[in-house]
Amino acid sequence: MAARIERAECQTVLAFAAALAARGTPVMITEIGGTSAVFAGPGQPINKLAGLGFAAIDEDALARIERAYDEQHAEIRVELATLADPEAGLLLTRRGYELAGYENVLGLALDGALGGDSYYYFADGQTIRRVPLK
């Protein structure tokens, strides 16, 4: 499930990148380790490498991405899932990357577990319920 969530995040970033490119914004997209690094200009929230660590990482490809970001005077933000291969974190640490924070993404399979009129309530007032199909 973690790999699926990370792929979805990467696909969202790529969709935003494509929309910006369609408007004429220069966008750099580089594939690496089963995902993509995106740079779409200074300050863009989609400037990141999301989904790393669920496939083998070519260290030479990472070095090329680092050089490309350096040429843009941009920092690389890597979103690394806690369930990714620990070797990905070790590789990044060896290359001088530093942990800046955590972001937790939770998933709930909606495969019938909410059958009938079942509801799940969360402390912040959010509710998950099945919506009947018409």
Side-chain angles (χ1 to χ4, degrees), residues 39-122:
F39 180 77
Q44 289 288 349
I46 63 169
N47 292 345
K48 60 181 157 183
L49 201 170
L52 197 64
F54 291 96
I57 303 167
D58 178 351
E59 202 163 345
D60 291 335
L62 183 56
R64 286 191 297 276
I65 291 170
E66 291 166 347
R67 284 192 300 275
Y69 270 71
D70 285 346
E71 289 171 6
Q72 299 296 324
H73 306 286
E75 68 176 7
I76 299 177
R77 288 184 305 120
V78 177
E79 292 186 359
L80 186 65
T82 57
L83 294 175
D85 184 346
E87 289 298 317
L90 293 172
L91 169 66
L92 294 170
T93 300
R94 283 194 308 269
R95 296 185 68 81
Y97 289 75
E98 295 179 355
L99 176 64
Y102 293 96
E103 177 181 312
N104 290 310
V105 177
L106 304 175
L108 173 65
L110 298 177
D111 58 1
L114 300 176
D117 292 329
S118 299
Y119 295 90
Y120 288 99
Y121 297 98
F122 298 94

Side-chain angles (χ1 to χ4, degrees), residues 17-41:
L20 287 170
R23 294 182 187 156
T25 301
V27 177
M28 177 179 66
I29 300 171
T30 310
E31 294 183 16
I32 180 172
T35 190
S36 299
V38 173
F39 180 77

